[in-house]
Amino acid sequence: MEYSFTVNVFILTYNQEQFIAQTIESVLMQKTNFVYQVVIGEDCSNDATRSICENYMQQFPEKIKLLPALDNNIGLIANYMRTIKECNGKYIAICDGDDYWIDEYKLQKQVNFLESNPDFSIVYTKVRKLFPNGEFKESSMIPKKRTTDFEDLVFDNYIPSVTALFKNIQDCQNQLPNWILKFPYGDWPTYLWTIKEGGKIYFLDEVTAVYRMNIGVSFKIRKVVSAIVKTDLQITHEMLNDLNFKMKRKIVQEALIERKISLMARYNRERNYLGAIKMFFYNLRYNLQQYYVAKMYFYSLYKSFK
């Protein structure tokens, strides 16, 4: 496959006039021995976000591709899909319009790793969290293993998108599935799509980026854990029914069962007892792990009263 760039960095932005300049600057500061392009998907903002992006495009036309202005706001995931389709580099990195990078060699380190280790398809790092009060905190989510794969990622999305670099496997025969448009985020299914036929994931134990907490389109869904679990459950169900994932059908089925049990337990913890009891009887009916289902139900019910 012919690639126009070594890396495409795609930025999604909407009404982020106070953040977008810092985001773009953090990408432009990258020191590399290869050519990369920034692809910006601006989603019909009603503040100064568009004009800020246009100013940067005019200053750096060889590095920045700003997608055409939209007539109306299409939403995060539709903007995600239209922007990633414009990426024609060998590798893709994500940096949302309210996040930024702090390591000027982030891309170079990650490209070096993937180029030297062709059996890997994704590399990610630690992230520093920035809270609205200005406090920084390094993420405590350190993986138990530096090397993981599909069988790990299908159970848990542990990759901070602002830190990831992954192989671009898109072509006319291998486009991201349209069912991603049903969901509020696309990074996790994109990673799984990338490694559905093989390819490992590597954790680079360095802090390269800052993730702003408690803001952004996805913040509302992440406030309620059961909403995240339910969304991941629905995504897993789509994978199970997608023939492109047929090589991973067994492990996807296992992840689906685990998420149904997890959703039941989370409902109890959030004191949504009606939702929990419905999932309990559903799981008893369709799940062979009936002892485990019952154990998780009553344990989560007990914890909800603590």
Side-chain angles (χ1 to χ4, degrees):
M1 185 186 302
E2 292 291 330
Y3 298 104
S4 301
F5 301 92
T6 300
V7 176
N8 281 121
V9 182
F10 83 84
I11 297 174
L12 305 181
T13 187
Y14 171 70
N15 284 358
Q16 292 170 330
E17 62 181 3
Q18 70 271 48
F19 304 131
I20 189 62
Q22 185 177 25
T23 302
I24 296 172
E25 291 279 0
S26 76
V27 176
L28 293 176
M29 78 173 183
Q30 293 295 299
K31 296 181 178 179
T32 67
N33 60 12
F34 53 80
V35 179
Y36 66 92
Q37 181 192 55
V38 185
V39 181
I40 304 177
E42 186 278 318
D43 193 11
C44 197
S45 301
N46 51 34
D47 63 4
T49 298
R50 179 84 193 176
S51 62
I52 294 171
C53 293
E54 288 173 343
N55 286 337
Y56 275 100
M57 181 186 65
Q58 291 166 6
Q59 292 179 61
F60 305 96
E62 75 288 352
K63 277 198 170 183
I64 294 179
K65 177 181 181 180
L66 177 61
L67 299 191
L70 297 167
D71 294 329
N72 55 276
N73 176 257
I74 60 174
L76 176 64
I77 193 61
N79 192 32
Y80 177 97
M81 292 293 277
R82 78 152 181 154
T83 306
I84 199 170
K85 286 179 180 178
E86 294 294 322
C87 295
N88 53 9
K90 185 176 182 180
Y91 303 109
I92 297 175
I94 302 173
C95 191
D96 287 335
D98 51 6
D99 301 327
Y100 59 98
W101 295 345
I102 54 176
D103 184 345
E104 60 188 9
Y105 294 101
K106 174 191 183 292
L107 288 182
Q108 187 67 63
K109 292 173 184 176
Q110 292 180 310
V111 167
N112 286 348
F113 178 83
L114 292 182
E115 290 287 290
S116 301
N117 299 274
D119 52 333
F120 283 79
S121 296
I122 303 171
V123 57
Y124 70 103
T125 76
K126 289 191 290 190
V127 68
R128 185 171 296 157
K129 297 178 180 180
L130 174 56
F131 292 85
N133 64 1
E135 178 186 359
F136 286 94
K137 185 177 181 181
E138 283 194 21
S139 174
S140 58
M141 295 180 64
I142 306 299
K144 296 178 181 178
K145 302 182 293 182
R146 281 205 171 194
T147 298
T148 53
D149 53 25
F150 186 100
E151 283 67 17
D152 300 294
L153 189 64
V154 73
F155 286 96
D156 181 28
N157 181 18
Y158 45 82
I159 300 177
S161 63
V162 68
T163 75
L165 181 77
F166 55 96
K167 287 182 178 178
N168 184 5
I169 65 167
Q170 297 180 103
D171 56 37
C172 56
Q173 281 81 39
N174 196 15
Q175 293 289 323
L176 286 172
N178 285 331
W179 52 255
I180 293 180
L181 288 164
K182 300 178 183 179
F183 303 107
Y185 44 84
D187 57 330
W188 181 55
T190 297
Y191 305 145
L192 291 167
W193 179 266
T194 301
I195 58 174
K196 67 186 185 300
E197 295 175 2
K200 295 185 288 187
I201 306 165
Y202 185 73
F203 169 67
L204 183 64
D205 192 6
E206 298 183 24
V207 179
T208 66
V210 170
Y211 174 76
R212 293 185 190 272
M213 299 294 293
N214 303 341
I215 63 173
V217 177
S218 62
F219 171 60
K220 292 180 180 179
I221 187 174
R222 296 184 187 280
K223 287 177 66 176
V224 183
V225 177
S226 62
I228 302 173
V229 178
K230 187 174 181 180
T231 300
D232 287 350
L233 172 62
Q234 294 168 339
I235 291 172
T236 309
H237 194 269
E238 290 288 349
M239 285 191 289
L240 188 66
N241 293 330
D242 190 332
L243 292 178
N244 291 292
F245 288 88
K246 61 183 178 181
M247 293 176 59
K248 302 294 184 181
R249 185 173 179 81
K250 182 178 179 181
I251 194 68
V252 172
Q253 179 72 57
E254 291 178 15
L256 189 68
I257 293 171
E258 187 65 32
R259 284 207 166 82
K260 289 176 180 177
I261 297 172
S262 178
L263 182 60
M264 173 197 70
R266 178 47 56 179
Y267 278 152
N268 263 338
R269 296 292 291 271
E270 294 173 358
R271 300 184 179 182
N272 178 0
Y273 299 123
L274 179 60
I277 197 67
K278 286 181 178 179
M279 287 300 299
F280 175 63
F281 285 115
Y282 177 90
N283 286 332
L284 285 181
R285 181 177 180 183
Y286 293 105
N287 198 315
L288 298 178
Q289 306 176 50
Q290 293 187 351
Y291 173 77
Y292 179 57
V293 170
K295 178 182 176 181
M296 290 298 295
Y297 175 79
F298 288 108
Y299 177 74
S300 60
L301 182 63
Y302 165 74
K303 294 294 285 187
S304 74
F305 293 112
K306 297 287 288 184

